[in-house]
Amino acid sequence: MVSEEDVAHIAVISDVGVDASELKLFTGQFNAIFEYFDILDSVEGGTGEPVGQTNIFREDVVVQSLSQEEVLRNSTDPEDGFIRAPRVI
Amino acid sequence: MEKTFIFDRPDPCNAFIKICENITYGEGPLSGIPVGIKDNISTAGIETTCGSEILKGYIPPYNAHVITLLKSAGAAIVGKTNMDEFGMGTTTESSIFGPTKNPVDPTRAPGGSSGGSAAAVGSGLVRMALGTDTGGSVRCPASFCGIVGMKPTYGRVSRYGLIAYANSMEQIGPMAANVRDCALLYSVIAGYDPRDGTSIDKPAPAPVTPVIAGKKIGVPAEYFGEGVDPAVAETVTQAIEKLADLGAEIVPCTMPSMKYALASYYVTSMSEASSNLGRYDGVRYGTAPEMVQPWHEAFSAIRRAGFGEEVRRRILLGSFALSAGYQGKYYAKAQAARRMVRDDFARLFAEVDIIAGPTMPTVAFRLGEAADPLSMYLADILTVPANLAGIPAISVPCGEAHSLPVGLQLMGRHFAEDEILLPPLHTRRDQHDRHHRP
């Protein structure tokens, strides 16, 4: 059972804003959806470590890429060749 | 030598988000053919939004690999087609550019999420279009609009420049009014691209020579089970009987993993989406965040304003399914179920060449009819298995139910696209005649 507090917590850690009015709506919908997903409880397996996966490495190859100007073109108000982001501290 | 092209036809279905100016084209197998491009495929210098507020104004600095291939083949790229926001929908109603209408019946939705591409082809605005198919987003609108649409084998078409939703399942696919054009477009976009780590280096597909006689066609009982409109099931059954008349052997079969397929698909796709859509923070593209606010508050505000309800719902559900305490219950189990689906197909393809059933359980929904989210997800039940297994699947028009188009879905072995590119059993011309009969 998912509570409104659970949805609010997930919204905070996902950086997805949810209004108070949406919280009730989403909580009801999530409970119906997870109830449907519960059919997966009857699947055998899937509890151990993934198998059959191996890393495949290759030598790094330098190829031509986008210019700095092209990369920054869609950024609002870049500064001295850097993008700007909200303050962290 | 490059030629120019003016595209100024009216678009009453709202199939296009943007029509290109100064359209140019060159020589090649698609020379001068107008092609529409779904708006989640990057087009250098042409705004690409995924139907979302959060990408409004974004102009890709590079072309997707498929766009480079289309241009090399001489195609005239006429514009970007409408879609459900980030491909998350079955109706093409969640775009910020408004809903697309079904050209067969404008009171109906065209299906989704590649509804703009399907409507552009279905209304005759373009001869071909590209869509993308993560859980049926090419085949659903093809079925609802009475056209042909194919999801190629995973790894067959480069995803370089496709804006990601659920990487492990999505493929770019061709859409056209007939199988011949669909095959022609497919032959241009298929092929190896080292810039997509999942692209597979297989020889180019052979010319399409559909042969039905002697083929074994498996028909799983689950594709005609609960939730499938009996009128749709009847139309598809008749189409399969026509294939038998043409010399195919029909083999009844079962797919027990089908009961897990939809849950497996949605847990997987939402989990991947919750990670993929983390990149939309307004810093490198899109609306800029408020710089003086703390980091998380600024990003939450941007994403609240920029993402629609369904996109935020899927990000939250995916984050939940991956969170501590639930990862084993949902994501890990979904992967085990995915393996069961893949194993079921492998078992069936040891006995049959093609698996057939309806593409969608119903005909096109009425515009605005979209019910609660879970009911809408259930509409994908017949298309998601092919995405989970990575096999190719096509929807071809096969008749009507309730005077609306019905799609026959044909699924093939990995890389056997040539075996499922079979001619439709009922053409749009027939439908057109019926709907416009005096």
Side-chain angles (χ1 to χ4, degrees):
Chain A
M1 191 77 181
V2 180
S3 67
E4 289 189 17
E5 289 72 29
D6 293 331
V7 177
H9 173 65
I10 290 288
V12 168
I13 60 174
S14 306
D15 284 337
V16 171
V18 175
D19 298 342
S21 62
E22 286 180 319
L23 209 51
K24 191 172 173 149
L25 173 74
F26 278 178
T27 304
Q29 291 171 343
F30 287 11
N31 276 308
I33 292 165
F34 281 123
E35 190 180 332
Y36 179 79
F37 287 172
D38 282 346
I39 194 170
L40 295 171
D41 286 344
S42 60
V43 174
E44 289 182 13
T47 51
E49 289 294 307
V51 293
Q53 295 174 342
T54 52
N55 286 322
I56 300 172
F57 298 102
R58 62 164 173 77
E59 290 302 312
D60 193 23
V61 181
V62 178
V63 295
Q64 193 173 358
S65 188
L66 297 172
S67 67
Q68 187 183 48
E69 184 193 358
E70 287 170 317
V71 170
L72 293 176
R73 192 174 293 155
N74 282 285
S75 175
T76 307
D77 199 19
E79 196 172 301
D80 299 330
F82 292 94
I83 53 170
R84 298 199 319 131
R87 67 186 174 89
V88 178
I89 303 169
Chain B
M1 178 164 158
E2 212 164 64
K3 297 174 184 164
T4 57
F5 181 91
I6 293 174
F7 189 79
D8 56 1
R9 301 183 61 184
D11 177 18
C13 292
N14 194 30
F16 280 94
I17 288 174
K18 184 179 181 61
I19 300 283
C20 299
E21 295 168 10
N22 305 319
I23 301 161
T24 59
Y25 65 90
E27 296 297 318
L30 300 183
S31 183
I33 295 177
V35 181
I37 307 294
K38 189 177 180 181
D39 204 34
N40 58 352
I41 298 172
S42 301
T43 39
I46 303 169
E47 187 180 7
T48 298
T49 68
C50 292
S52 181
E53 181 73 34
I54 211 155
L55 273 174
K56 245 184 172 176
Y58 170 64
I59 297 177
Y62 65 99
N63 274 324
H65 187 59
V66 291
I67 300 299
T68 305
L69 292 173
L70 285 181
K71 286 178 172 284
S72 300
I77 291 169
V78 299
K80 306 301 291 285
T81 58
N82 205 3
M83 58 182 283
D84 280 301
E85 185 179 5
F86 281 100
M88 299 179 183
T90 316
T91 62
T92 313
E93 292 177 292
S94 69
S95 165
I96 49 153
F97 299 96
T100 294
K101 294 174 184 169
N102 190 319
V104 178
D105 176 351
T107 68
R108 302 267 173 174
S113 63
S114 310
S117 288
V121 171
S123 59
L125 281 174
V126 292
R127 198 168 133 191
M128 305 170 179
L130 288 184
T132 63
D133 191 313
T134 309
S137 284
V138 160
R139 290 162 285 156
C140 161
S143 175
F144 283 2
C145 293
I147 67 161
V148 180
M150 183 171 74
K151 181 200 87 71
T153 306
Y154 186 76
R156 185 63 115 173
V157 177
S158 170
R159 291 181 296 110
Y160 178 78
L162 164 63
I163 297 176
Y165 155 28
N167 323 52
S168 78
M169 291 181 282
E170 57 207 1
Q171 275 286 285
I172 296 168
M175 305 174 84
N178 56 62
V179 170
R180 208 179 70 176
D181 279 352
C182 186
L184 176 59
L185 182 55
Y186 166 68
S187 70
V188 168
I189 63 172
Y192 178 61
D193 174 21
R195 293 173 301 182
D196 172 0
T198 58
S199 176
I200 294 175
D201 195 359
K202 280 260 193 193
V208 177
T209 49
V211 179
I212 299 173
K215 289 272 190 271
K216 286 188 176 178
I217 300 182
V219 182
E222 291 81 359
Y223 272 75
F224 296 83
E226 190 187 341
V228 178
D229 180 339
V232 169
E234 176 59 28
T235 301
V236 171
T237 300
Q238 286 175 10
I240 292 170
E241 284 167 3
K242 278 189 205 168
L243 293 174
D245 292 343
L246 294 168
E249 181 187 343
I250 307 303
V251 182
C253 58
T254 62
M255 244 192 96
S257 63
M258 276 290 283
K259 67 178 172 187
Y260 301 122
L262 194 79
S264 174
Y265 167 76
Y266 269 101
V267 169
T268 306
S269 63
M270 288 168 171
S271 298
E272 293 183 21
S274 72
S275 170
N276 277 321
L277 272 61
R279 72 191 60 167
Y280 299 104
D281 52 20
V283 169
R284 290 147 298 168
Y285 35 77
T287 312
E290 182 54 67
M291 297 296 175
V292 295
Q293 272 189 336
W295 182 283
H296 289 292
E297 281 178 30
F299 288 161
S300 285
I302 280 283
R303 289 153 67 80
R304 170 68 186 89
F307 287 138
E309 184 180 308
E310 181 60 26
V311 173
R312 286 184 299 126
R313 185 161 33 242
R314 293 197 193 193
I315 292 172
L316 293 172
L317 286 164
S319 300
F320 200 95
L322 290 174
S323 62
Y326 292 97
Q327 192 268 348
K329 178 174 167 60
Y330 294 116
Y331 187 77
K333 287 286 187 182
Q335 302 322 300
R338 185 174 185 175
R339 170 62 63 182
M340 290 168 72
V341 172
R342 200 181 163 92
D343 289 348
D344 255 355
F345 276 120
R347 175 179 57 79
L348 292 176
F349 281 126
E351 305 290 330
V352 302
D353 303 299
I354 294 170
I355 294 169
T359 304
M360 295 298 290
T362 66
V363 293
F365 315 120
R366 282 192 173 78
L367 282 167
E369 188 182 44
D372 63 286
L374 181 58
S375 300
M376 292 310 298
Y377 301 163
L378 289 169
D380 297 339
I381 182 68
L382 305 180
T383 48
V384 298
N387 301 83
L388 288 167
I391 58 171
I394 192 169
S395 180
V396 292
C398 72
E400 293 180 349
H402 314 294
S403 299
L404 289 164
V406 171
L408 168 69
Q409 183 174 204
L410 300 170
M411 292 166 274
R413 298 184 181 98
H414 290 102
F415 303 103
E417 283 86 356
D418 55 324
E419 288 203 282
I420 59 169
L421 279 160
L422 299 178
L425 301 164
H426 179 93
T427 64
R428 275 204 71 241
R429 176 64 61 192
D430 299 335
Q431 288 161 21
H432 183 86
D433 290 347
R434 181 178 291 199
H435 286 288
H436 295 80
R437 204 171 287 152

